mmCIF file of all heavy atoms in Angstrom:
data_model
loop_
_atom_site.group_PDB
_atom_site.id
_atom_site.type_symbol
_atom_site.label_atom_id
_atom_site.label_comp_id
_atom_site.label_asym_id
_atom_site.label_seq_id
_atom_site.Cartn_x
_atom_site.Cartn_y
_atom_site.Cartn_z
ATOM 1 N N SER W 322 104.454 116.233 116.831
ATOM 2 C CA SER W 322 105.149 117.316 116.150
ATOM 3 C C SER W 322 106.040 116.770 115.000
ATOM 4 O O SER W 322 106.565 117.559 114.206
ATOM 5 C CB SER W 322 106.011 118.109 117.135
ATOM 6 O OG SER W 322 106.947 117.268 117.728
ATOM 7 N N ALA W 323 106.286 115.499 115.004
ATOM 8 C CA ALA W 323 107.028 114.866 113.856
ATOM 9 C C ALA W 323 106.264 115.076 112.616
ATOM 10 O O ALA W 323 104.994 115.043 112.619
ATOM 11 C CB ALA W 323 107.272 113.403 114.225
ATOM 12 N N PRO W 324 106.930 115.192 111.466
ATOM 13 C CA PRO W 324 106.237 115.411 110.204
ATOM 14 C C PRO W 324 105.388 114.218 109.801
ATOM 15 O O PRO W 324 104.462 114.245 109.040
ATOM 16 C CB PRO W 324 107.336 115.683 109.185
ATOM 17 C CG PRO W 324 108.598 115.173 109.821
ATOM 18 C CD PRO W 324 108.383 115.181 111.324
ATOM 19 N N TYR W 325 105.738 113.011 110.271
ATOM 20 C CA TYR W 325 104.968 111.819 109.896
ATOM 21 C C TYR W 325 104.621 111.090 111.260
ATOM 22 O O TYR W 325 105.401 110.490 111.882
ATOM 23 C CB TYR W 325 105.797 110.889 108.997
ATOM 24 C CG TYR W 325 104.995 109.683 108.562
ATOM 25 C CD1 TYR W 325 104.111 109.857 107.611
ATOM 26 C CD2 TYR W 325 105.213 108.501 109.125
ATOM 27 C CE1 TYR W 325 103.314 108.768 107.176
ATOM 28 C CE2 TYR W 325 104.443 107.405 108.757
ATOM 29 C CZ TYR W 325 103.480 107.600 107.811
ATOM 30 O OH TYR W 325 102.748 106.476 107.404
ATOM 31 N N SER W 326 103.381 111.205 111.595
ATOM 32 C CA SER W 326 102.869 110.670 112.853
ATOM 33 C C SER W 326 102.379 109.312 112.724
ATOM 34 O O SER W 326 102.110 108.796 111.660
ATOM 35 C CB SER W 326 101.788 111.591 113.415
ATOM 36 O OG SER W 326 100.633 111.477 112.672
ATOM 37 N N GLU W 327 102.179 108.649 113.910
ATOM 38 C CA GLU W 327 101.502 107.317 113.947
ATOM 39 C C GLU W 327 100.179 107.338 113.348
ATOM 40 O O GLU W 327 99.742 106.364 112.732
ATOM 41 C CB GLU W 327 101.496 106.812 115.392
ATOM 42 C CG GLU W 327 102.802 106.326 115.939
ATOM 43 C CD GLU W 327 102.696 105.797 117.308
ATOM 44 O OE1 GLU W 327 101.673 105.169 117.564
ATOM 45 O OE2 GLU W 327 103.607 105.981 118.104
ATOM 46 N N ARG W 328 99.482 108.421 113.514
ATOM 47 C CA ARG W 328 98.144 108.592 112.957
ATOM 48 C C ARG W 328 98.173 108.368 111.405
ATOM 49 O O ARG W 328 97.347 107.709 110.888
ATOM 50 C CB ARG W 328 97.563 109.906 113.316
ATOM 51 C CG ARG W 328 96.145 110.098 112.905
ATOM 52 C CD ARG W 328 95.584 111.394 113.383
ATOM 53 N NE ARG W 328 95.541 111.259 114.820
ATOM 54 C CZ ARG W 328 94.750 112.013 115.623
ATOM 55 N NH1 ARG W 328 93.934 112.919 115.098
ATOM 56 N NH2 ARG W 328 94.676 111.878 116.897
ATOM 57 N N TYR W 329 99.098 109.059 110.779
ATOM 58 C CA TYR W 329 99.219 108.903 109.301
ATOM 59 C C TYR W 329 99.639 107.467 108.956
ATOM 60 O O TYR W 329 99.173 106.973 107.874
ATOM 61 C CB TYR W 329 100.178 109.911 108.712
ATOM 62 C CG TYR W 329 99.586 111.319 108.570
ATOM 63 C CD1 TYR W 329 100.317 112.374 108.868
ATOM 64 C CD2 TYR W 329 98.271 111.454 108.115
ATOM 65 C CE1 TYR W 329 99.842 113.688 108.725
ATOM 66 C CE2 TYR W 329 97.758 112.758 108.024
ATOM 67 C CZ TYR W 329 98.498 113.805 108.257
ATOM 68 O OH TYR W 329 97.963 115.089 108.147
ATOM 69 N N ALA W 330 100.499 106.884 109.671
ATOM 70 C CA ALA W 330 100.848 105.445 109.423
ATOM 71 C C ALA W 330 99.637 104.564 109.414
ATOM 72 O O ALA W 330 99.409 103.713 108.635
ATOM 73 C CB ALA W 330 101.924 104.964 110.414
ATOM 74 N N ARG W 331 98.751 104.864 110.451
ATOM 75 C CA ARG W 331 97.520 104.057 110.529
ATOM 76 C C ARG W 331 96.666 104.266 109.373
ATOM 77 O O ARG W 331 95.972 103.355 108.844
ATOM 78 C CB ARG W 331 96.826 104.458 111.828
ATOM 79 C CG ARG W 331 95.533 103.811 112.082
ATOM 80 C CD ARG W 331 95.663 102.488 112.742
ATOM 81 N NE ARG W 331 94.333 101.949 112.831
ATOM 82 C CZ ARG W 331 93.979 101.120 113.790
ATOM 83 N NH1 ARG W 331 94.783 100.791 114.721
ATOM 84 N NH2 ARG W 331 92.771 100.621 113.771
ATOM 85 N N VAL W 332 96.531 105.498 108.895
ATOM 86 C CA VAL W 332 95.708 105.796 107.702
ATOM 87 C C VAL W 332 96.252 105.056 106.525
ATOM 88 O O VAL W 332 95.496 104.476 105.727
ATOM 89 C CB VAL W 332 95.708 107.376 107.463
ATOM 90 C CG1 VAL W 332 95.150 107.663 106.067
ATOM 91 C CG2 VAL W 332 94.930 108.092 108.536
ATOM 92 N N LEU W 333 97.584 105.038 106.368
ATOM 93 C CA LEU W 333 98.137 104.337 105.200
ATOM 94 C C LEU W 333 97.844 102.748 105.334
ATOM 95 O O LEU W 333 97.430 102.132 104.402
ATOM 96 C CB LEU W 333 99.669 104.492 105.121
ATOM 97 C CG LEU W 333 100.193 105.745 104.491
ATOM 98 C CD1 LEU W 333 101.656 105.821 104.507
ATOM 99 C CD2 LEU W 333 99.693 105.775 103.046
ATOM 100 N N GLN W 334 98.047 102.270 106.547
ATOM 101 C CA GLN W 334 97.742 100.799 106.776
ATOM 102 C C GLN W 334 96.315 100.435 106.527
ATOM 103 O O GLN W 334 95.989 99.435 105.840
ATOM 104 C CB GLN W 334 98.173 100.387 108.204
ATOM 105 C CG GLN W 334 99.634 100.443 108.489
ATOM 106 C CD GLN W 334 99.918 100.336 109.923
ATOM 107 O OE1 GLN W 334 99.019 100.323 110.801
ATOM 108 N NE2 GLN W 334 101.188 100.287 110.298
ATOM 109 N N ASP W 335 95.393 101.298 107.030
ATOM 110 C CA ASP W 335 93.958 100.963 106.973
ATOM 111 C C ASP W 335 93.365 101.359 105.639
ATOM 112 O O ASP W 335 92.367 100.768 105.230
ATOM 113 C CB ASP W 335 93.198 101.635 108.038
ATOM 114 C CG ASP W 335 93.577 101.116 109.423
ATOM 115 O OD1 ASP W 335 94.198 100.080 109.576
ATOM 116 O OD2 ASP W 335 93.188 101.818 110.489
ATOM 117 N N GLY W 336 93.899 102.395 104.983
ATOM 118 C CA GLY W 336 93.238 102.912 103.822
ATOM 119 C C GLY W 336 93.748 102.439 102.484
ATOM 120 O O GLY W 336 93.007 102.429 101.497
ATOM 121 N N MET W 337 95.059 102.154 102.388
ATOM 122 C CA MET W 337 95.561 101.764 101.122
ATOM 123 C C MET W 337 95.309 100.272 100.694
ATOM 124 O O MET W 337 95.452 99.390 101.569
ATOM 125 C CB MET W 337 97.114 102.028 101.075
ATOM 126 C CG MET W 337 97.673 102.198 99.730
ATOM 127 S SD MET W 337 99.326 102.916 99.790
ATOM 128 C CE MET W 337 100.301 101.454 99.838
ATOM 129 N N VAL W 338 94.870 100.104 99.492
ATOM 130 C CA VAL W 338 94.539 98.776 98.940
ATOM 131 C C VAL W 338 95.620 98.286 98.006
ATOM 132 O O VAL W 338 96.097 97.133 98.150
ATOM 133 C CB VAL W 338 93.133 98.785 98.257
ATOM 134 C CG1 VAL W 338 92.877 97.432 97.592
ATOM 135 C CG2 VAL W 338 92.069 99.141 99.289
ATOM 136 N N SER W 339 96.030 99.141 97.061
ATOM 137 C CA SER W 339 97.062 98.704 96.148
ATOM 138 C C SER W 339 97.736 99.917 95.548
ATOM 139 O O SER W 339 97.322 101.040 95.667
ATOM 140 C CB SER W 339 96.412 97.933 94.969
ATOM 141 O OG SER W 339 95.564 98.765 94.150
ATOM 142 N N MET W 340 98.921 99.633 94.924
ATOM 143 C CA MET W 340 99.711 100.771 94.363
ATOM 144 C C MET W 340 100.334 100.198 93.061
ATOM 145 O O MET W 340 100.876 99.146 93.034
ATOM 146 C CB MET W 340 100.844 101.132 95.334
ATOM 147 C CG MET W 340 101.629 102.300 94.979
ATOM 148 S SD MET W 340 102.655 102.978 96.285
ATOM 149 C CE MET W 340 103.153 101.556 97.265
ATOM 150 N N THR W 341 100.188 101.050 91.950
ATOM 151 C CA THR W 341 100.700 100.668 90.659
ATOM 152 C C THR W 341 101.443 101.765 89.981
ATOM 153 O O THR W 341 101.016 102.920 90.160
ATOM 154 C CB THR W 341 99.541 100.238 89.718
ATOM 155 O OG1 THR W 341 98.543 99.484 90.433
ATOM 156 C CG2 THR W 341 99.985 99.398 88.543
ATOM 157 N N GLN W 342 102.365 101.484 89.102
ATOM 158 C CA GLN W 342 103.104 102.466 88.330
ATOM 159 C C GLN W 342 102.408 102.586 86.991
ATOM 160 O O GLN W 342 102.072 101.591 86.351
ATOM 161 C CB GLN W 342 104.537 102.085 88.123
ATOM 162 C CG GLN W 342 105.269 103.089 87.274
ATOM 163 C CD GLN W 342 106.799 102.844 87.218
ATOM 164 O OE1 GLN W 342 107.333 101.878 87.743
ATOM 165 N NE2 GLN W 342 107.455 103.704 86.393
ATOM 166 N N ALA W 343 102.226 103.861 86.552
ATOM 167 C CA ALA W 343 101.718 104.125 85.184
ATOM 168 C C ALA W 343 102.611 105.256 84.674
ATOM 169 O O ALA W 343 102.346 106.471 84.924
ATOM 170 C CB ALA W 343 100.266 104.538 85.188
ATOM 171 N N ASP W 344 103.686 104.902 83.970
ATOM 172 C CA ASP W 344 104.675 105.834 83.528
ATOM 173 C C ASP W 344 105.297 106.570 84.729
ATOM 174 O O ASP W 344 105.807 105.979 85.587
ATOM 175 C CB ASP W 344 104.096 106.770 82.454
ATOM 176 C CG ASP W 344 105.254 107.505 81.674
ATOM 177 O OD1 ASP W 344 106.327 106.922 81.561
ATOM 178 O OD2 ASP W 344 105.023 108.607 81.244
ATOM 179 N N ASN W 345 105.094 107.898 84.775
ATOM 180 C CA ASN W 345 105.610 108.663 85.898
ATOM 181 C C ASN W 345 104.627 108.852 87.014
ATOM 182 O O ASN W 345 104.841 109.680 87.885
ATOM 183 C CB ASN W 345 106.280 110.000 85.462
ATOM 184 C CG ASN W 345 105.194 110.975 85.089
ATOM 185 O OD1 ASN W 345 104.205 110.647 84.386
ATOM 186 N ND2 ASN W 345 105.323 112.216 85.546
ATOM 187 N N LEU W 346 103.529 108.146 86.923
ATOM 188 C CA LEU W 346 102.457 108.261 88.008
ATOM 189 C C LEU W 346 102.515 107.056 88.906
ATOM 190 O O LEU W 346 102.728 105.950 88.527
ATOM 191 C CB LEU W 346 101.105 108.358 87.350
ATOM 192 C CG LEU W 346 100.832 109.533 86.374
ATOM 193 C CD1 LEU W 346 99.484 109.357 85.753
ATOM 194 C CD2 LEU W 346 100.978 110.858 87.195
ATOM 195 N N VAL W 347 102.215 107.278 90.131
ATOM 196 C CA VAL W 347 101.888 106.225 91.130
ATOM 197 C C VAL W 347 100.397 106.286 91.300
ATOM 198 O O VAL W 347 99.875 107.364 91.745
ATOM 199 C CB VAL W 347 102.605 106.376 92.483
ATOM 200 C CG1 VAL W 347 102.222 105.301 93.382
ATOM 201 C CG2 VAL W 347 104.133 106.430 92.262
ATOM 202 N N VAL W 348 99.661 105.239 90.946
ATOM 203 C CA VAL W 348 98.206 105.160 91.113
ATOM 204 C C VAL W 348 97.965 104.235 92.326
ATOM 205 O O VAL W 348 98.332 103.106 92.331
ATOM 206 C CB VAL W 348 97.556 104.625 89.819
ATOM 207 C CG1 VAL W 348 95.989 104.539 90.003
ATOM 208 C CG2 VAL W 348 97.939 105.512 88.622
ATOM 209 N N ILE W 349 97.283 104.890 93.280
ATOM 210 C CA ILE W 349 97.018 104.196 94.566
ATOM 211 C C ILE W 349 95.466 104.010 94.668
ATOM 212 O O ILE W 349 94.740 105.001 94.560
ATOM 213 C CB ILE W 349 97.573 105.020 95.713
ATOM 214 C CG1 ILE W 349 99.081 105.171 95.551
ATOM 215 C CG2 ILE W 349 97.221 104.304 97.040
ATOM 216 C CD1 ILE W 349 99.709 106.149 96.454
ATOM 217 N N LYS W 350 95.079 102.816 94.905
ATOM 218 C CA LYS W 350 93.669 102.496 95.145
ATOM 219 C C LYS W 350 93.557 102.410 96.695
ATOM 220 O O LYS W 350 94.384 101.910 97.371
ATOM 221 C CB LYS W 350 93.237 101.163 94.540
ATOM 222 C CG LYS W 350 93.318 101.170 93.001
ATOM 223 C CD LYS W 350 92.423 102.162 92.372
ATOM 224 C CE LYS W 350 90.977 101.694 92.348
ATOM 225 N NZ LYS W 350 90.117 102.634 91.696
ATOM 226 N N THR W 351 92.409 102.991 97.186
ATOM 227 C CA THR W 351 92.157 103.049 98.641
ATOM 228 C C THR W 351 90.803 102.428 98.929
ATOM 229 O O THR W 351 89.964 102.235 97.984
ATOM 230 C CB THR W 351 92.210 104.455 99.147
ATOM 231 O OG1 THR W 351 91.048 105.185 98.718
ATOM 232 C CG2 THR W 351 93.469 105.195 98.817
ATOM 233 N N VAL W 352 90.486 102.237 100.186
ATOM 234 C CA VAL W 352 89.133 101.907 100.622
ATOM 235 C C VAL W 352 88.235 103.112 100.207
ATOM 236 O O VAL W 352 88.686 104.316 100.220
ATOM 237 C CB VAL W 352 89.098 101.779 102.131
ATOM 238 C CG1 VAL W 352 87.758 101.562 102.671
ATOM 239 C CG2 VAL W 352 89.986 100.613 102.613
ATOM 240 N N SER W 353 87.104 102.829 99.779
ATOM 241 C CA SER W 353 86.157 103.924 99.370
ATOM 242 C C SER W 353 86.028 104.957 100.428
ATOM 243 O O SER W 353 85.842 104.717 101.555
ATOM 244 C CB SER W 353 84.769 103.266 99.055
ATOM 245 O OG SER W 353 83.895 104.361 98.594
ATOM 246 N N GLY W 354 86.228 106.240 99.936
ATOM 247 C CA GLY W 354 86.178 107.405 100.790
ATOM 248 C C GLY W 354 87.356 107.763 101.514
ATOM 249 O O GLY W 354 87.408 108.767 102.268
ATOM 250 N N MET W 355 88.488 107.002 101.349
ATOM 251 C CA MET W 355 89.721 107.249 102.170
ATOM 252 C C MET W 355 90.794 107.887 101.285
ATOM 253 O O MET W 355 91.899 108.160 101.829
ATOM 254 C CB MET W 355 90.198 105.924 102.766
ATOM 255 C CG MET W 355 89.339 105.366 103.798
ATOM 256 S SD MET W 355 89.374 106.315 105.280
ATOM 257 C CE MET W 355 91.022 106.104 105.876
ATOM 258 N N ALA W 356 90.574 108.167 100.016
ATOM 259 C CA ALA W 356 91.660 108.664 99.165
ATOM 260 C C ALA W 356 92.232 109.972 99.714
ATOM 261 O O ALA W 356 93.514 110.144 99.759
ATOM 262 C CB ALA W 356 91.212 108.777 97.766
ATOM 263 N N MET W 357 91.396 110.932 100.099
ATOM 264 C CA MET W 357 91.939 112.170 100.589
ATOM 265 C C MET W 357 92.809 112.004 101.875
ATOM 266 O O MET W 357 93.819 112.688 101.970
ATOM 267 C CB MET W 357 90.775 113.190 100.845
ATOM 268 C CG MET W 357 90.221 113.692 99.507
ATOM 269 S SD MET W 357 88.775 114.716 99.662
ATOM 270 C CE MET W 357 89.354 116.076 100.608
ATOM 271 N N ALA W 358 92.355 111.139 102.748
ATOM 272 C CA ALA W 358 93.127 110.939 104.003
ATOM 273 C C ALA W 358 94.459 110.278 103.675
ATOM 274 O O ALA W 358 95.526 110.687 104.225
ATOM 275 C CB ALA W 358 92.277 110.138 104.945
ATOM 276 N N VAL W 359 94.467 109.281 102.792
ATOM 277 C CA VAL W 359 95.681 108.609 102.385
ATOM 278 C C VAL W 359 96.611 109.597 101.687
ATOM 279 O O VAL W 359 97.809 109.613 101.940
ATOM 280 C CB VAL W 359 95.463 107.369 101.568
ATOM 281 C CG1 VAL W 359 96.683 106.749 101.038
ATOM 282 C CG2 VAL W 359 94.650 106.263 102.394
#
C-alpha cells in the first residue's frame, strides 16, 4: 500500500541502464522493452 513498493525498486534496479541531463530533461536509458515499467 506504500506509494513506492519493493517491486518498483526492483524494476529500477533491473531496468535502468543510464541517466543523463539534457537541459530540463532527464533522459533515462533502460534495458530493451523495460522503459514503460521503469
Side-chain angles (χ1 to χ4, degrees):
S322 60
Y325 184 75
S326 69
E327 285 184 35
R328 183 174 294 203
Y329 281 140
R331 175 86 185 212
V332 168
L333 278 178
Q334 291 168 357
D335 293 348
M337 203 164 89
V338 174
S339 67
M340 186 167 36
T341 319
Q342 179 175 357
D344 195 29
N345 72 315
L346 300 175
V347 176
V348 180
I349 300 167
K350 296 299 280 183
T351 70
V352 173
S353 182
M355 291 292 291
M357 288 176 57
V359 172

